[in-house]
Amino acid sequence: MIRFTVRFLLLPPLALALSACGERGSSAPPSSAAATALERASAVSQPEGWEDDLKIAPAQDLNPDPHVLEVNLEAKPAELEILPGKKTTVWTYNGQLPGPLLRAQVGDRVIVHFKNSLPVATTIHWHGLRVSNEMDGSPGITQPPVEPGGEFRYEFVLRDAGTYWYHPHVDSAVEVGRGLYGPIVVDDPKDPKSFGDDLVLVLSDMSLDDDGQPLPDDNGGQFGVLFGREGSTLLVNGRVLPHLKVRTGKQQRWRVINAARARYFNLRLPGHRFERLGGDNGLAARSEDVYSIVVSPGERTDAVFTPADPPGSHKVLQWVPFDRGYGSTFNRPREDLLAIDTVDAPPVTPEAIPETLRAIEPIDVSGAKEQRLAFTIAIDGKSVVMGFNGKAYEHAQPLEARLGETQVWDLVNDTDFAHPFHLHGYFFQVLDDTRVPEWKDTVSVPSKSEMKIAVKFDERPGMWMYHCHILEHADAGMMGHLHVIDPSAPESASASPSTHMHMTSHAEPTYAAPTDAGPAPADPDGAP
Ligand code: C2O
Ligand code: CU
Ligand code: CU
């Protein structure tokens, strides 16, 4: 089924164009009578240099095999200009903020030679990718932390098309907050061209003083932990208020990644709506007409943006306060995020976006084991202790699942804040008929609400993590383990590592022997 972007009927120049193009597919001859007929969006390219201000350099591919992306990633401090004329010391991958774009096709293999040139230990976690357990980057769980000067080789297959990202999993509020994050795009060559040209938008924030130096990591003390730290400087692809050039009617597929520690991004552009295509695990079941793009920390949203302003206009995509609980919108203005300049070129007729995008079978939850997970916050003397079911990470027993089992997790949030819940290793479905069906790895559970998610632990046994993606909350204990047990495996392989290990612990548990990441099941359309 095809849905046309109805909003254009309200815009005089395009309304004209659409009525002029009543007979679709018959291209008008270049006669004077047809001079008012507009070209189709697919027939023109984006304006020259449209994304120059937003480019994220890809990582250099060292492997001649077209289906293997082999890259070096080095975590290291770098001096970058974020505020005009000021040098800021940030932590980067390969000296870039955000880190290099990792882009390949679904089914391709990725090999990362990682080197840690930071003064502290770190790991890389591949947020949302279905990697095998020992590639997950969970320190003390799936691998030892990579010490300063140390190296680690990651290897996995990109099994699912979509927009993902990578970031450290040690002391993550600090390390991500200082700039360690990068985008991953897994292309599906079957995606319709009508979605438009891809634009990756990595959203984040930082708190900088007047000299451009980052404020201390513990800025705001325990209040910073309780609220989560929102930096005062908003960043799009590591830049402050970059410019994007667009042409009226010429579509772009925005791949929006929220890499901030705590900030929710609620994006609006006056006079525009967006066609949401999906999020965490690629396309949703249907496209959805939305007036704002809301992305909680860790989440992704893919949406088609159809510029609708007349040629020569200038507008700004705004960050709009989003109510993520106690005081989070109080007295806060909207903020400018991305300047959008519509070039002086004739408008084009936008392409139709299909309404049906992908078949998403609901997970069969009959007889599924239920587990209740309540987000909990306690004030213990002067410090804030967070957790699930009243237990901070280091004191909690792992949840258990047997390989092949389906479970329903009841996420209960009685706290005063919304929490973006994230599960490693598996995609889940939110059991809520009001939502367009899609596969998720991160979902915001609003304050004073409850949400059920269904997960099938169909493969890749091991010890996985789940946590709130407000990274201060995770570091304060709102995090847990999930042990997916393979009953047929020998005792040692399914034995759990110590559950009393803090994220930064340097103790040495035994790690599962690396297994081949496996060939990609050629199933980009089906359920993961
Ligand atoms: Cu993006 Cu465990 O996190
Ligand atoms: Cu993750
Ligand atoms: Cu939280």
Side-chain angles (χ1 to χ4, degrees):
M1 210 217 281
I2 296 283
R3 181 169 69 223
F4 293 97
T5 40
V6 178
R7 57 187 175 276
F8 282 96
L9 298 174
L10 305 172
L11 295 162
L14 285 166
L16 259 177
L18 284 175
S19 53
C21 294
E23 295 157 65
R24 315 198 71 86
S26 64
S27 56
S31 70
S32 59
T36 54
L38 301 188
E39 269 183 292
R40 298 205 58 83
S42 55
V44 302
S45 5
Q46 296 289 346
E48 167 111 44
W50 64 291
E51 55 171 356
D52 280 0
D53 218 13
L54 288 156
K55 275 243 168 77
I56 302 172
Q60 195 202 339
D61 188 356
L62 308 167
N63 196 306
D65 184 332
H67 294 296
V68 179
L69 174 65
E70 183 167 354
V71 302
N72 290 325
L73 282 184
E74 182 185 10
K76 60 176 182 186
E79 297 238 294
L80 298 178
E81 183 176 316
I82 294 174
L83 301 180
K86 312 273 182 197
K87 288 271 177 251
T88 302
T89 305
V90 293
W91 286 359
T92 69
Y93 293 108
N94 296 3
Q96 292 177 225
L97 180 74
L101 171 64
L102 302 186
R103 173 163 222 154
Q105 273 191 10
V106 63
D108 288 356
R109 184 172 289 268
V110 176
I111 299 167
V112 176
H113 305 279
F114 174 61
K115 182 172 194 315
N116 180 12
S117 301
L118 299 171
V120 297
T122 190
T123 59
I124 306 186
H125 170 61
W126 314 95
H127 184 123
L129 296 181
R130 289 192 297 159
V131 300
S132 56
N133 189 248
E134 71 277 3
M135 292 291 128
D136 195 48
S138 303
I141 310 294
T142 64
Q143 67 166 94
V146 185
E147 299 296 335
E151 298 184 5
F152 196 85
R153 182 183 195 274
Y154 293 97
E155 177 170 353
F156 45 84
V157 168
L158 300 170
R159 298 174 51 181
D160 305 281
T163 307
Y164 305 91
W165 64 300
Y166 58 95
H167 63 77
H169 225 283
V170 174
D171 209 1
S172 46
V174 169
E175 297 194 4
V176 174
R178 288 185 174 211
L180 290 168
Y181 48 80
I184 303 172
V185 173
V186 185
D187 282 310
D188 184 347
K190 294 202 299 291
D191 276 355
K193 295 284 163 282
S194 60
F195 292 166
D197 299 280
D198 259 42
L199 181 69
V200 176
L201 297 173
V202 183
L203 309 180
S204 191
D205 59 17
M206 262 187 189
S207 285
L208 304 175
D209 67 17
D210 292 344
D211 282 326
Q213 289 315 299
L215 297 184
D217 296 323
D218 62 353
N219 187 33
Q222 290 301 304
F223 284 109
V225 173
L226 186 61
F227 284 83
R229 296 189 172 91
E230 294 190 28
S232 49
T233 303
L234 296 184
L235 299 175
V236 181
N237 296 356
R239 277 148 254 185
V240 177
L241 194 58
H243 282 246
L244 171 67
K245 282 194 220 166
V246 305
R247 178 166 175 179
T248 314
K250 175 69 182 168
Q251 283 139 323
Q252 301 180 352
R253 176 188 189 164
W254 286 3
R255 294 176 178 269
V256 183
I257 301 167
N258 186 346
R261 290 162 292 181
R263 180 186 290 267
Y264 280 53
F265 282 84
N266 179 20
L267 311 179
R268 287 196 203 153
L269 182 63
H272 288 73
R273 299 179 67 87
F274 301 91
E275 213 56 60
R276 187 181 186 279
L277 298 175
D280 295 350
N281 175 229
L283 302 178
R286 299 186 298 275
S287 57
E288 190 183 6
D289 179 50
V290 296
Y291 75 103
S292 62
I293 296 174
V294 178
V295 209
S296 69
E299 265 191 314
R300 287 84 66 209
T301 292
D302 275 32
V304 176
F305 164 53
T306 310
D309 287 331
S313 350
H314 300 279
K315 270 212 186 131
V316 179
L317 179 76
Q318 287 181 311
W319 175 90
V320 176
F322 180 83
D323 187 4
R324 64 175 182 91
Y326 188 80
S328 54
T329 54
F330 178 70
N331 219 352
R332 296 184 74 174
R334 296 174 170 221
E335 288 183 58
D336 291 348
L337 196 61
L338 174 64
I340 296 184
D341 305 327
T342 309
V343 295
D344 220 342
V348 293
T349 306
E351 299 297 324
I353 307 298
E355 181 175 4
T356 301
L357 299 177
R358 179 185 184 184
I360 293 186
E361 279 297 315
I363 293 179
D364 179 6
V365 293
S366 52
K369 175 174 168 189
E370 282 216 26
Q371 309 231 43
R372 184 177 190 273
L373 273 185
F375 300 89
T376 48
I377 299 179
I379 312 290
D380 176 8
K382 274 191 179 153
S383 65
V384 179
V385 180
M386 304 206 178
F388 287 98
N389 298 342
K391 292 244 198 287
Y393 176 67
E394 53 273 35
H395 303 300
Q397 286 303 306
L399 297 183
E400 288 190 349
R402 313 201 98 202
L403 194 61
E405 186 179 33
T406 297
Q407 296 194 354
V408 170
W409 289 7
D410 197 3
L411 308 175
V412 180
N413 183 3
D414 282 329
T415 73
D416 288 329
F417 298 92
H419 302 284
F421 180 82
H422 172 52
L423 172 64
H424 288 209
Y426 302 88
F427 293 110
F428 54 80
Q429 293 179 355
V430 178
L431 300 178
D432 175 353
D433 291 339
T434 66
R435 290 172 173 250
V436 173
E438 64 179 321
W439 292 102
K440 299 285 294 163
D441 59 58
T442 308
V443 69
S444 177
V445 184
S447 171
K448 310 291 176 200
S449 79
E450 213 171 309
M451 183 183 285
K452 288 191 179 190
I453 61 171
V455 207
K456 186 159 191 210
F457 301 105
D458 49 356
E459 47 165 31
R460 292 169 301 119
M463 189 66 77
W464 300 94
M465 300 187 76
Y466 61 87
H467 56 90
C468 175
H469 223 287
I470 289 179
L471 298 176
E472 288 82 5
H473 291 184
D475 288 350
M478 200 174 269
M479 199 156 56
H481 296 142
L482 160 74
H483 190 189
V484 178
I485 302 160
D486 180 357
S488 70
E491 189 54 35
S492 60
S494 62
S496 49
S498 164
T499 59
H500 291 259
M501 194 172 315
H502 190 261
M503 271 181 103
T504 52
S505 166
H506 295 187
E508 292 290 328
T510 47
Y511 301 98
T515 55
D516 182 41
D523 179 29
D525 288 321

